[in-house]
Amino acid sequence: MMMPRPQKYRDVIKFLRSQGWVVLRQGKGSHVIWGQPDGSSWLSIPAHGEISAGIVKQLVRIFPNAPEGWR
């Protein structure tokens, strides 16, 4: 598998919302904890312009239906 490409914060957040994920709480610094409403699955997302390839890779692993352009 190739390393995913960095993505825009707004695109990642739009996708997370479409999957039913919500903001669980504020993390450290500029990070926001997103997850399922019941808290069973979560991920810390930095709230700035671009989401790194490593975080996008984690999202692709969690969501098999992630946008094809993220792979």
Side-chain angles (χ1 to χ4, degrees):
M1 180 173 139
M2 290 178 40
M3 186 67 153
R5 301 165 81 155
Q7 298 297 318
K8 291 181 179 168
Y9 176 75
R10 69 172 181 256
D11 294 338
V12 171
I13 297 315
K14 188 185 298 184
F15 175 73
L16 289 176
R17 284 193 177 120
S18 77
Q19 299 303 304
W21 278 35
V22 296
V23 172
L24 297 176
R25 63 183 170 87
Q26 178 67 40
K28 287 190 172 189
S30 64
H31 288 70
V32 179
I33 309 300
W34 281 82
Q36 294 177 342
D38 64 3
S40 63
S41 189
W42 60 272
L43 190 61
S44 175
I45 307 285
H48 31 83
E50 194 170 76
I51 305 300
S52 72
I55 302 239
V56 174
K57 184 177 183 179
Q58 290 177 345
L59 288 168
V60 168
R61 215 177 292 134
I62 293 169
F63 298 104
N65 64 333
E68 197 59 42
W70 290 14
R71 299 175 198 285

